[in-house]
């Protein structure tokens, strides 16, 4: 800060009017705050709102069989009154709907849950004092509290997804962005001019309710900004983050109040990700529906993904990912140092589609045996392994444990690892602990793993070595 500016006192005015950036935090303090999230590796995403009752159907016809049906209002270009009239009668959460969600997450091996407090449709799941388009006003229930309580009762970390885009609020000035979606885009504001600052004030007030009235909140998952409308200009983003951190100092927040390279974005596509993040823009970057090709050293990241092709429930989407893909995605992401946020889209009554239950239970069965090869691990030391993936952990006494996730079992029963090891190297099956014979070498290490893969999806072998792993140079 230049002395002249300080002397003039002007910088106080700049600080107050430009919105306080998140309070300064040392790298060590940030690492301490992020530690549980980095070790968790696996969370459950939940998209649930009025759209869940429409289930991809509008006026008796399927809107589509693929893609996000939480966007149905935009897909059918319905104004908010028409949409609410059709959707509200169908949204009938049964009593106790949330506990099965939390139990499913825990049984799957998820360490945290992120659920939608408000999606683009603008309907709030909590009992809001600043809106009547909310569960409190419409259903006389606080669904947000029911979900938070259920997740905490299962010992899970819990946070919420909050849409800054709002297709209901009559001051949300959708003409300010060419890139952000809105059902009325291209049509004049039905209520004449709009003052977007009034919407932003509402946005801040509603977020303040969520971070003030429901106890500790572990994650805030913002969604989403565009290159032409983002950050302080669109949402008073720095003020919003500062307000949240003041109420929830340990909270972990994503990068989606912004859409600039410094915040981890290179464009508008869900894969347009930059492997960089200045912490003032958020705590992690958010590749969507894809897994980065390589890890991103020094950047916290989380891939969010659907189990079929839609985030919100659709009765027409039957394109479910196989259990093998779900499990191998988790392993692939962990091997690159990232987190996996896997989505369910419950139905209007809160019930979870059986295909989602089956998939999460399959992951849970694998994690029950192999979870230590995922939780609190670091990224693979190898650029690429033809037969699978690898994660690693430091052991006491300066050793390193490599978890070798074998997808393609060697036909000759010999697993070749591009690693230089000495006589101290030891290996065993993670499941059951059966010792395996290791042949060390300067350019490769061979492990006799036997003829049959114990787990056809991913068998995990522990390989312990002294010190840091010495990756062999690939043969010329
Ligand atoms: O438009 C939303 C979409 O509906 C969904 O919520 C995803 C989840 O990450 N986020 C936005 C698209 O990037």
């Amino acid at each position: 800060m230049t002395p002249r500016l300080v002397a003039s006192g002007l910088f106080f005015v700049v600080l107050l009017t430009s919105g306080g950036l998140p309070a300064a935090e040392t790298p060590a303090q940030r690492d301490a705050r992020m530690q549980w999230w980095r070790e968790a590796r696996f969370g459950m995403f939940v998209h649930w709102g009025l759209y869940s009752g429409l289930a991809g159907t509008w006026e008796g016809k399927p809107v589509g069989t693929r893609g996000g049906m939480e966007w149905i209002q935009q897909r059918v270009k319905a104004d908010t009154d028409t949409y609410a009239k059709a959707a509200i009668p169908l949204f009938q959460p049964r009593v106790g709907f949330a506990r099965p969600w939390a139990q499913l997450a825990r049984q799957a091996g998820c360490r945290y849950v992120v659920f939608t407090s408000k999606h683009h449709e603008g309907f709030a799941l909590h009992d809001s004092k600043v809106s009547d388009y909310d569960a409190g006003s419409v259903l006389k229930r606080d669904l947000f509290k029911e979900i938070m309580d259920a997740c905490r009762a299962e010992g899970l970390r819990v946070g919420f997804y909050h849409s800054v885009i709002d297709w209901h609020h009559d001051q949300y000035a959708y003409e300010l962005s060419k890139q952000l979606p809105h059902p009325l885009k291209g049509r004049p504001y039905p209520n004449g001019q709009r003052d977007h600052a009034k919407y932003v004030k509402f946005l801040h007030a509603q977020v303040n309710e969520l971070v003030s009235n429901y106890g500790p909140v572990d994650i805030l998952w913002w969604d989403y900004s565009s290159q032409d409308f983002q950050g302080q200009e669109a949402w008073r983003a720095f003020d919003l983050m500062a307000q949240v951190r003041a109420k929830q100092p340990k909270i972990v927040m994503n990068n989606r109040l912004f859409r600039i390279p410094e915040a981890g974005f290179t464009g508008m596509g869900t894969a347009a990700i930059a492997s960089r993040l200045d912490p003032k823009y958020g705590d992690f970057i958010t590749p969507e529906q894809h897994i980065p090709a390589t890890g991103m050293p020094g950047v916290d990241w989380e891939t969010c993904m659907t189990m079929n092709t839609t985030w919100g429930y659709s009765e027409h989407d039957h394109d479910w990912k196989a259990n093998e893909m779900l499990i191998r995605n988790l392993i692939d992401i962990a091997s690159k140092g990232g987190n996996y946020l896997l989505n369910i889209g419950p139905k209007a009554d809160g019930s979870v589609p059986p295909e989602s239950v089956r998939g999460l239970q399959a992951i849970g069965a694998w994690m029950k045996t192999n979870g230590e090869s995922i939780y609190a691990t670091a990224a693979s030391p190898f650029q690429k392994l033809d037969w699978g993936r690898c994660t690693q952990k430091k052991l006491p006494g300066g050793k390193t444990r490599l978890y070798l996730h074998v997808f393609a079992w060697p036909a000759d029963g010999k697993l070749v690892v591009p690693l230089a090891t000495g006589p101290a190297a030891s290996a065993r099956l993670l499941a059951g602990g059966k010792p395996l014979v290791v042949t060390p070498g300067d350019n490769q290490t061979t492990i006799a793993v036997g003829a049959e893969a114990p787990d056809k999806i991913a068998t995990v072998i522990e390989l312990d070595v002294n010190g840091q792993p010495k990756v062999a140079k690939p043969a010329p």
Side-chain angles (χ1 to χ4, degrees):
M1 191 62 66
T2 60
R4 187 172 48 79
L5 194 55
V6 173
S8 74
L10 179 59
F11 87 94
F12 283 114
V13 174
V14 168
L15 189 63
L16 290 176
T17 52
S18 68
L21 300 186
E25 181 182 50
T26 65
Q29 288 168 332
R30 184 164 183 277
D31 286 344
R33 179 169 58 84
M34 292 296 293
Q35 183 176 345
W36 76 264
W37 185 89
R38 292 169 177 163
E39 293 182 353
R41 284 282 175 258
F42 186 29
M44 184 167 88
F45 214 173
V46 186
H47 276 68
W48 191 59
L50 296 183
Y51 45 81
S52 308
L54 294 167
T57 300
W58 184 258
E59 294 174 346
K61 298 191 199 71
V63 170
T65 58
R66 296 181 61 78
M69 283 304 150
E70 69 288 347
W71 273 49
I72 189 167
Q73 183 182 348
Q74 200 270 352
R75 301 274 287 265
V76 301
K77 306 282 182 249
D79 65 71
T80 191
D81 294 339
T82 306
Y83 176 76
K85 192 158 170 261
I88 286 176
L90 302 173
F91 188 61
Q92 298 174 6
R94 65 185 178 202
V95 173
F97 71 91
R99 196 64 184 266
W101 295 5
Q103 289 163 341
L104 179 61
R106 180 177 50 74
Q107 290 159 9
C110 298
R111 289 285 167 84
Y112 59 97
V113 171
V114 178
F115 66 96
T116 49
S117 57
K118 178 195 84 162
H119 205 266
H120 309 336
E121 66 182 10
F123 185 78
L125 293 191
H126 72 293
D127 181 6
S128 177
K129 296 296 174 274
V130 294
S131 169
D132 58 6
Y133 198 50
D134 68 306
S137 308
V138 172
L139 298 168
K140 308 294 176 251
R141 286 173 70 177
D142 189 326
L143 302 173
F144 183 93
K145 182 178 187 310
E146 292 181 44
I147 301 166
M148 292 291 280
D149 290 350
C151 291
R152 289 192 186 114
E154 291 295 327
L156 295 161
R157 295 272 187 161
V158 58
F160 62 91
Y161 160 116
H162 200 75
S163 174
V164 290
I165 295 169
D166 193 303
W167 296 339
H168 170 78
H169 200 280
D170 66 6
Q171 296 304 313
Y172 178 85
Y174 54 82
E175 286 179 355
L176 293 177
S177 170
K178 289 186 172 39
Q179 293 175 320
L180 291 181
H182 193 285
L184 304 184
K185 183 162 266 188
R187 289 151 57 177
Y189 298 135
N191 54 327
Q193 270 318 308
R194 290 189 169 189
D195 179 354
H196 192 72
K198 287 183 181 164
Y199 165 68
V200 173
K201 186 168 180 240
F202 160 80
L203 168 70
H204 285 226
Q206 216 168 42
V207 168
N208 191 51
E209 290 178 323
L210 297 172
V211 297
S212 302
N213 304 336
Y214 296 91
V217 179
D218 295 301
I219 296 162
L220 213 171
W221 214 97
W222 302 110
D223 201 30
Y224 66 90
S225 299
S226 58
Q227 290 172 294
D228 73 350
F229 200 56
Q230 57 97 44
Q232 192 68 7
E233 178 214 6
W235 324 116
R236 285 197 290 112
F238 289 125
D239 305 330
L240 191 50
M241 292 176 80
Q243 165 193 295
V244 168
R245 291 199 194 280
K247 293 284 175 68
Q248 301 281 345
K250 295 186 177 168
I251 202 164
V252 174
M253 289 193 271
N254 76 358
N255 62 337
R256 293 195 173 189
L257 287 180
F258 306 89
R259 199 139 200 151
I260 52 178
E262 299 79 358
F265 291 100
T266 57
M268 281 306 291
T270 51
I273 296 293
S275 56
R276 58 189 284 205
L277 176 60
D278 178 329
K280 76 180 183 184
Y281 298 114
D283 294 313
F284 62 94
I285 68 172
T286 50
E288 180 173 318
Q289 298 286 40
H290 83 285
I291 300 169
T294 63
M296 295 185 250
V299 176
D300 290 300
W301 61 276
E302 173 193 78
T303 279
C304 56
M305 209 174 262
T306 53
M307 294 183 82
N308 48 10
T309 71
T310 175
W311 301 94
Y313 176 64
S314 170
E315 59 195 340
H316 311 295
D317 185 332
H318 307 294
D319 187 9
W320 297 96
K321 293 177 177 70
N323 295 344
E324 177 181 287
M325 176 180 277
L326 297 173
I327 294 168
R328 289 185 177 178
N329 280 349
L330 172 60
I331 296 166
D332 184 26
I333 289 166
S335 78
K336 293 166 179 170
N339 284 18
Y340 189 30
L341 187 63
L342 185 57
N343 182 74
I344 62 169
K347 300 178 184 178
D349 65 354
S351 60
V352 181
E355 298 86 350
S356 296
V357 174
R358 273 199 298 274
L360 283 163
Q361 287 178 339
I363 297 172
W366 187 87
M367 286 291 273
K368 198 173 170 67
T369 305
N370 304 290
E372 72 171 85
S373 72
I374 301 293
Y375 300 128
T377 57
S380 171
F382 305 104
Q383 276 301 313
K384 186 178 181 310
L385 293 167
D386 296 338
W387 40 258
R389 300 294 184 272
C390 176
T391 56
Q392 60 175 315
K393 267 180 190 166
K394 292 282 165 265
L395 293 176
K399 282 179 174 266
T400 301
R401 175 159 293 167
L402 297 171
Y403 294 100
L404 309 175
H405 299 86
V406 187
F407 298 170
W409 199 254
D412 62 359
K414 294 187 178 118
L415 188 72
V416 178
V417 187
L419 192 70
T421 55
S426 65
R428 69 205 67 79
L429 287 176
L430 171 55
K434 180 188 170 203
L436 301 171
V437 174
V438 176
T439 307
D442 293 340
N443 293 315
Q444 68 181 34
T445 296
T446 304
I447 304 171
V449 294
E452 286 298 314
D455 184 318
K456 297 282 182 280
I457 291 179
T459 298
V460 183
I461 291 163
E462 291 179 351
L463 173 60
D464 293 352
V465 298
N466 282 344
Q468 290 284 352
K470 297 177 188 62
V471 176
K473 299 242 179 315

